[in-house]
Amino acid sequence: MEKSSLTALARELMVSAKSKNSGRSARTVFGGHERILRQTVVALTAGSSLDDHDNPGEATIQVLSGRILLKCGEVQWEGSPGDHLVVPLARHRVDAVEDSAFLLTVAKP
């Protein structure tokens, strides 16, 4: 069994994100490309984004801190700490309204 603090990791990744031009930093905490399930903590500085991309499988976002917008076409959902968003099976993006961190869970078919 493994235990880790997502809160502490989110703080660490935010420090890293603030030092990068992209304004983002991420670390996989479970699984990986060779597994069906992958969980990754992502930190985005205010105003930064995960640009439009396709969904590699079923995915959810659990917001750990800050506020994000999950956008799919003309539709968008706002997420704040404690919110759980189901990522649509379509091209989408994530924008950080303020410094934010979230747990991205992806299950590939």
Side-chain angles (χ1 to χ4, degrees):
M1 182 170 147
E2 291 182 36
K3 178 183 175 184
S4 61
S5 170
L6 298 181
T7 303
L9 179 56
R11 279 194 303 262
E12 176 186 329
L13 291 173
M14 184 54 65
V15 170
S16 176
K18 287 182 176 186
S19 72
K20 296 180 179 178
N21 289 336
S22 66
R24 61 183 184 245
S25 185
R27 184 173 310 151
T28 297
V29 293
F30 181 82
H33 293 291
E34 70 284 352
R35 312 234 3 219
I36 293 171
L37 181 67
R38 182 176 70 230
Q39 292 184 297
T40 304
V41 176
V42 179
L44 298 174
T45 58
S48 63
S49 301
L50 294 179
D51 292 331
D52 285 329
H53 59 280
D54 293 314
N55 199 339
E58 294 179 338
T60 62
I61 292 174
Q62 181 176 351
V63 182
L64 303 172
S65 63
R67 282 185 21 234
I68 63 167
L69 292 175
L70 172 60
K71 298 179 178 180
C72 181
E74 297 300 316
V75 180
Q76 68 181 23
W77 304 267
E78 183 173 331
S80 56
D83 286 348
H84 184 259
L85 306 173
V86 176
V87 178
L89 288 172
R91 199 157 178 78
H92 62 278
R93 66 182 287 131
V94 178
D95 296 332
V97 177
E98 55 192 44
D99 288 354
S100 303
F102 56 90
L103 177 67
L104 172 65
T105 301
V106 177
K108 296 182 297 185

